[in-house]
Amino acid sequence: MRTALVISGIAHLVVIVLAITGLPWFGRERLPDLEVIPVELVEAVEEQAQAPEAEPEKRPEPEPEPESRPEPEPEPEPAVAAVPETRPEPPRPPEPEVAPLAPSTPRVVPQRRPRPPSRFDPKRIAALIDKSAKEEPPKPAPSNQLDVSKILKKANRSALEQARLVADLRSAIRSQVEPCWSVPAGARYAEELTVRIRIYLLPDGTLARPPEVLDGHKVNEPGGDFFRVASESARRAVQRCAPLKLPRETYDIWRDIELTFDPSQMLGG
Amino acid sequence: MTVTALCRFRFGRALPVVAAFFLLFAAGPAHAVLRVDITRGNVDPLPIAIPDFVGENGARTNVGTTIDIGRNVSEVISANLTRSGLFRPISKKAFIRGAEVPGGRPNFGNWRAIGAQALVTGQVELMSDGRIRVVFRLWDVLGESQMTGLQYYAAPGSWRRIAHIISDAIYKRLTGEDGYFDTRIVYIAESGPKHKRIKRLAIMDQDGHNHRFLTDGKDLVLTPRFSPTAQEITYLAYYNNKPRVYLYNIDAGKQELLGDFPGMTFAPRFSPDGNKVILSQAERGNTDIYVMDLRTRRSKRLTFDPNIDTSPSYSPDGRQIVFNSDRGGSQQLYVMDADGGNVRRISFGKGRYGTPVWSPRGDLIAFTKQYQGRFHIGVMRPDGRGERLLTESYLDEAPTWSPNGRVIIFFRQEPYGRRGSGGGVSLWSVDLTGYNLRKIVTPLDASDPAWSPLIQ
């Protein structure tokens, strides 16, 4: 009986002590739940992620590649459709053109290089040098490793730091993948087409193997064509963005990622 | 003692399990899956490369060599996809030499380098029987795989249609929706001064080619509508100053009067099965909705309201009809069952709603809205929720859906100037999302468009 009382007393004491000391602790730990995402990091990475976009002017010199004649295409044509023979065509009056009003969609046009300065006009050279000097200040490439590496330097990262680290990684991944994702807008019920993609990364951020679409069976369900289009758009986003630029020190955390592509916020409403 | 022994024994057996359990949790954090939600993306058009389809130099047809046909086919596909607003064909100038491999696997690295995410390759061959064989393949550049591949045999003169059919196949594979490129548009071509306007029925491919006039302009024609079979048009014509609804068979080039109603009939539209025409009839100042069975030529009255009920349009399943009526005081949209029962109002916004058209995919109703002196083309769900206005101008009217329910064509009128100038009408298209507003160039002024279903 006495032992029981003592145990009970100690237990109560522990609960009370926990209640007093635990409250502020809980309060602090809740912070990461709010998903405080450092916005400046998002912006910085976004620019960088877009950099590897098509740059036609950078294309390699047109060196004639020793093009080995390809073997006959192994894939058989999946379908053969015959187009009906020419129907009696009426005499053709002047054919109108359907022209977009807006300037045609932006095209990848090779940019013209600055003209070489004329040797005979020193003033012009000076002007050009000045101009290029104005234009050229190279922007320092934004780094997305800043916050994370600082945190890592501290030995024994606390739970709070760990949570913040994960939040930073999430935001870094998000900011790199989002610009690469072309949302399949306008499809029927597009806002309901959420796709999960599993990716496995190597320490340098490249894909260890092709991205894996989870719930792949939905392709065979009614409306499967739309799911297939949605899942392909998600897969393309990952492939376009790879390699992801993430701090190598935290590889353990980001080697295995499940991305959920959810267009409802963009297309809903 | 026995109990302790048992406990020890059990604990001893369970030890590896417990250890494994703890190990699992200990190892957990290192290999946990990092879950990330991607909720934002861009709606930029998909970059797609469409090199010229490969032909043979000596292979001559009555419409040029197969090289010419190959180049023309790729240009038509490129123009179709550009106009859809969902694709951005990459300039051929950016192509890397050596990336095109006729008939073989493309060099994907070279296409990825110029930012292409999809690639269309194809060949045109002249067959011994004078026909051409057009092969095309759609490639996923990032996934390095073929997405679809088809081939077509046809007379060389049909190359333009083949290009439209290939465009539809690409569109279908990359968006999940059926395409709408192998379609036609019928509309009213207008010419002449304001008070003596000549209106002719005209038809053209959806890209403006193969344009021709169907009527000579002696009689005034209005509101043409396509049959779901794409061979017939119903429209309103003033013959001897009497407005009547007519049927026109495109292939036969014949028109016939649709029934003889006592009053004035207008706003005709086919039922989804093509067997009925629904229209409005005005008699002694009252307008109501009637449906006529084309096989029996019998008509049936559907509304019995003393107010104006007009502009009826069937739902794609043929079970419901949307129309506009001023029975509630202002012109609003109503839906009723196909037999005229169960009438309910669906629009409740400010302004006047008119010319409702049910989308071929059933999910939306397009309409014209007049509010504060401006006109809009808008869409709402069949229950009236989710109203979105897609356009705004001095006068936008007569929406018509693409067969896949993604694009709306309508006509826009410019305001008149002080001296009676202006007032021109032209056709425009807009995407369901409200983006990609484009003018459709026609030889004359154009109004009252109607989009055909896919050509069979």
Side-chain angles (χ1 to χ4, degrees), chain A residues 42-43 46 50 52-56 59-60 62-65 67-110 162 166 169-171 173-175 177-189 191 196 198 225-226 228-229 232-233 235-237 239-240 251-267 269, chain B residues 29-47 78 82-83 85-98 101-105 107 110 113-117 131 133 135 137 139-140 142-143 145-155 157-158 160-162 165 172-177 184 204-213 231 251 361 363 381 388 404 406 428 431-433 437-443 455-456:
Chain A
V42 172
E43 293 304 321
E46 218 155 2
Q50 276 176 342
E53 284 247 348
E55 288 179 52
R59 72 186 186 195
E63 38 187 61
E65 288 181 15
E67 200 44 63
S68 61
R69 196 79 183 160
E71 301 126 57
E73 179 53 40
E75 286 155 88
E77 268 105 47
V80 177
V83 160
E85 297 291 327
T86 12
R87 43 178 63 224
E89 289 284 330
R92 290 191 189 176
E95 291 190 334
E97 292 285 341
V98 175
L101 184 72
S104 55
T105 39
R107 284 166 177 245
V108 185
V109 180
Q162 170 82 12
V166 169
L169 282 171
R170 281 203 178 106
S171 96
I173 293 165
R174 225 176 259 140
S175 60
V177 174
E178 281 178 351
C180 294
W181 184 32
S182 293
V183 184
R188 222 168 307 180
Y189 314 120
E191 64 276 12
R196 291 186 302 145
R198 187 85 177 261
D225 279 353
F226 298 109
R228 179 166 67 169
V229 167
E232 282 172 353
S233 85
R235 180 177 51 71
R236 272 199 296 270
Q239 286 172 326
R240 227 178 121 193
Y251 175 59
D252 272 357
I253 303 174
W254 52 260
R255 64 194 298 177
D256 183 359
I257 304 173
E258 184 184 305
L259 296 163
T260 302
F261 290 80
D262 177 7
S264 58
Q265 285 181 29
M266 285 190 70
L267 307 174
Chain B
H31 296 286
V33 181
L34 181 62
R35 291 196 163 78
V36 184
D37 288 338
I38 307 294
T39 54
R40 284 185 306 165
N42 58 65
V43 285
D44 297 342
L46 185 87
S78 182
T82 302
R83 257 194 330 277
L86 300 177
F87 303 93
R88 178 172 60 82
I90 295 169
S91 166
K92 286 174 186 166
K93 289 178 195 157
F95 292 176
I96 297 168
R97 202 183 296 168
V101 183
R105 255 182 106 71
N107 188 338
N110 284 355
I114 60 166
Q117 293 189 35
R131 292 187 304 164
R133 173 174 176 258
V135 182
R137 292 170 202 276
W139 303 91
D140 179 344
L142 297 167
S145 61
Q146 178 178 313
M147 300 174 91
T148 187
L150 293 164
Q151 57 178 330
Y152 306 92
Y153 295 91
S158 297
R160 185 173 279 282
R161 245 202 107 189
I162 294 176
I165 291 169
K172 165 98 179 150
R173 184 59 189 79
L174 290 174
T175 68
E177 299 270 11
R184 293 188 275 204
M204 60 188 183
D205 290 353
Q206 52 78 30
D207 61 356
H209 286 270
N210 290 331
H211 186 281
R212 61 179 160 136
F213 295 102
Q231 306 302 323
D251 291 342
R361 67 185 196 192
D363 57 342
R381 289 186 211 140
R388 277 188 291 130
N404 68 353
R406 280 247 9 191
W428 292 72
D431 192 85
L432 181 56
T433 54
L437 180 71
R438 284 165 192 265
K439 186 175 181 177
I440 299 170
V441 177
T442 46
I455 298 170
Q456 300 296 315

Side-chain angles (χ1 to χ4, degrees), chain B residues 387-454:
Chain B
E387 177 179 324
R388 277 188 291 130
L389 299 180
L390 308 179
T391 72
E392 181 193 347
S393 89
Y394 166 73
L395 177 59
D396 284 351
E397 250 296 3
T400 177
W401 288 95
S402 63
N404 68 353
R406 280 247 9 191
V407 184
I408 292 170
I409 291 183
F410 59 97
F411 80 88
R412 173 169 284 182
Q413 182 170 17
E414 289 158 19
Y416 285 102
R418 278 184 196 166
R419 295 179 184 175
S421 62
V425 284
S426 51
L427 303 187
W428 292 72
S429 72
V430 68
D431 192 85
L432 181 56
T433 54
Y435 293 106
N436 199 27
L437 180 71
R438 284 165 192 265
K439 186 175 181 177
I440 299 170
V441 177
T442 46
L444 301 172
D445 269 13
S447 64
D448 267 347
W451 208 323
S452 84
L454 281 172

Side-chain angles (χ1 to χ4, degrees), chain A:
Chain A
M1 184 67 186
R2 205 181 143 168
T3 330
L5 271 176
V6 170
I7 290 169
S8 168
I10 290 169
H12 274 86
L13 199 66
V14 167
V15 169
I16 290 163
V17 169
L18 269 182
I20 294 165
T21 58
L23 269 175
W25 185 79
F26 277 127
R28 233 184 285 150
E29 266 313 277
R30 276 186 175 272
L31 273 176
D33 287 351
L34 293 170
E35 284 273 340
V36 185
I37 297 162
V39 175
E40 65 284 355
L41 185 65
V42 172
E43 293 304 321
V45 183
E46 218 155 2
E47 276 175 27
Q48 201 179 36
Q50 276 176 342
E53 284 247 348
E55 288 179 52
E57 64 277 16
K58 272 194 180 176
R59 72 186 186 195
E61 294 300 312
E63 38 187 61
E65 288 181 15
E67 200 44 63
S68 61
R69 196 79 183 160
E71 301 126 57
E73 179 53 40
E75 286 155 88
E77 268 105 47
V80 177
V83 160
E85 297 291 327
T86 12
R87 43 178 63 224
E89 289 284 330
R92 290 191 189 176
E95 291 190 334
E97 292 285 341
V98 175
L101 184 72
S104 55
T105 39
R107 284 166 177 245
V108 185
V109 180
Q111 285 177 10
R112 189 177 282 184
R113 288 187 185 173
R115 284 187 171 193
S118 163
R119 286 180 199 170
F120 306 104
D121 190 350
K123 281 181 188 173
R124 203 172 157 205
I125 294 173
L128 278 168
I129 290 169
D130 281 348
K131 195 179 165 192
S132 61
K134 265 181 221 165
E135 280 174 357
E136 272 187 14
K139 285 183 185 174
S143 161
N144 51 2
Q145 304 195 359
L146 26 114
D147 287 19
V148 175
S149 52
K150 273 183 206 163
I151 293 167
L152 273 173
K153 278 176 191 164
K154 295 181 187 172
N156 302 331
R157 29 182 212 239
S158 70
L160 173 63
E161 282 166 339
Q162 170 82 12
R164 187 176 290 166
L165 181 63
V166 169
D168 285 348
L169 282 171
R170 281 203 178 106
S171 96
I173 293 165
R174 225 176 259 140
S175 60
Q176 289 178 61
V177 174
E178 281 178 351
C180 294
W181 184 32
S182 293
V183 184
R188 222 168 307 180
Y189 314 120
E191 64 276 12
E192 293 166 18
L193 289 170
T194 297
V195 177
R196 291 186 302 145
I197 298 261
R198 187 85 177 261
I199 56 172
Y200 302 91
L201 297 173
L202 297 173
D204 62 356
T206 53
L207 294 165
R209 54 181 126 141
E212 183 185 322
V213 177
L214 306 175
D215 316 317
H217 62 274
K218 286 187 183 170
V219 171
N220 301 318
E221 292 173 4
D225 279 353
F226 298 109
F227 181 79
R228 179 166 67 169
V229 167
S231 62
E232 282 172 353
S233 85
R235 180 177 51 71
R236 272 199 296 270
V238 176
Q239 286 172 326
R240 227 178 121 193
C241 281
L244 292 180
K245 296 171 195 73
L246 298 167
R248 201 174 274 239
E249 310 87 80
T250 50
Y251 175 59
D252 272 357
I253 303 174
W254 52 260
R255 64 194 298 177
D256 183 359
I257 304 173
E258 184 184 305
L259 296 163
T260 302
F261 290 80
D262 177 7
S264 58
Q265 285 181 29
M266 285 190 70
L267 307 174

Side-chain angles (χ1 to χ4, degrees), chain B residues 96-382:
Chain B
I96 297 168
R97 202 183 296 168
E100 300 159 59
V101 183
R105 255 182 106 71
N107 188 338
F108 290 111
N110 284 355
W111 295 107
R112 198 179 301 140
I114 60 166
Q117 293 189 35
L119 167 69
V120 178
T121 60
Q123 290 159 270
V124 183
E125 282 171 40
L126 182 60
M127 311 299 290
S128 54
D129 60 1
R131 292 187 304 164
I132 49 168
R133 173 174 176 258
V134 182
V135 182
F136 99 93
R137 292 170 202 276
L138 173 66
W139 303 91
D140 179 344
V141 172
L142 297 167
E144 304 200 349
S145 61
Q146 178 178 313
M147 300 174 91
T148 187
L150 293 164
Q151 57 178 330
Y152 306 92
Y153 295 91
S158 297
W159 66 267
R160 185 173 279 282
R161 245 202 107 189
I162 294 176
H164 290 320
I165 291 169
I166 291 175
S167 307
D168 282 334
I170 295 166
Y171 186 97
K172 165 98 179 150
R173 184 59 189 79
L174 290 174
T175 68
E177 299 270 11
D178 287 329
Y180 55 85
F181 302 115
D182 190 26
T183 56
R184 293 188 275 204
I185 292 163
V186 65
Y187 71 97
I188 302 295
E190 300 188 14
S191 54
K194 187 180 166 187
H195 301 295
K196 208 179 170 187
R197 207 79 167 141
I198 296 169
K199 296 195 176 187
R200 278 186 282 182
L201 207 54
I203 191 167
M204 60 188 183
D205 290 353
Q206 52 78 30
D207 61 356
H209 286 270
N210 290 331
H211 186 281
R212 61 179 160 136
F213 295 102
L214 298 178
T215 60
D216 56 11
K218 276 186 203 154
D219 308 311
L220 185 68
V221 283
L222 293 169
T223 61
R225 304 286 179 246
F226 254 106
S227 156
T229 62
Q231 306 302 323
E232 281 190 323
I233 300 163
T234 179
Y235 61 99
L236 177 75
Y238 281 72
Y239 185 63
N240 289 338
N241 285 331
K242 204 173 175 189
R244 289 288 162 78
V245 170
Y246 289 83
L247 277 180
Y248 186 98
N249 187 295
I250 299 169
D251 291 342
K254 281 184 185 169
Q255 69 170 3
E256 62 173 311
L257 182 66
L258 182 66
D260 206 2
F261 293 86
M264 167 182 156
T265 51
F266 54 96
R269 212 178 269 279
F270 279 95
S271 66
D273 61 6
N275 289 332
K276 285 176 276 187
V277 167
I278 192 164
L279 44 79
S280 305
Q281 184 191 329
E283 198 183 357
R284 293 192 291 277
N286 179 26
T287 301
D288 276 303
I289 293 167
Y290 289 72
V291 62
M292 169 172 268
D293 193 310
L294 292 175
R295 294 160 300 186
T296 62
R297 295 291 162 124
R298 281 201 187 132
S299 63
K300 185 187 162 196
R301 186 171 173 179
L302 294 180
T303 62
F304 296 86
D305 193 86
N307 296 287
I308 295 171
D309 297 334
T310 186
S311 302
S313 167
Y314 274 102
S315 64
D317 63 5
R319 289 185 185 167
Q320 297 180 89
I321 294 162
V322 62
F323 63 101
N324 61 254
S325 172
D326 58 359
R327 60 181 71 190
S330 71
Q331 189 178 302
Q332 298 287 337
L333 303 186
Y334 292 77
V335 169
M336 64 183 172
D337 293 347
D339 61 0
N342 191 20
V343 180
R344 63 253 184 219
R345 178 171 163 180
I346 62 163
S347 68
F348 293 92
K350 288 178 185 167
R352 288 154 53 90
Y353 294 76
T355 56
V357 195
W358 216 303
S359 151
R361 67 185 196 192
D363 57 342
L364 292 168
I365 289 168
F367 55 83
T368 306
K369 180 174 182 174
Q370 199 184 347
Y371 179 56
Q372 291 186 336
R374 303 287 287 173
F375 276 77
H376 308 264
I377 300 294
V379 291
M380 64 170 67
R381 289 186 211 140

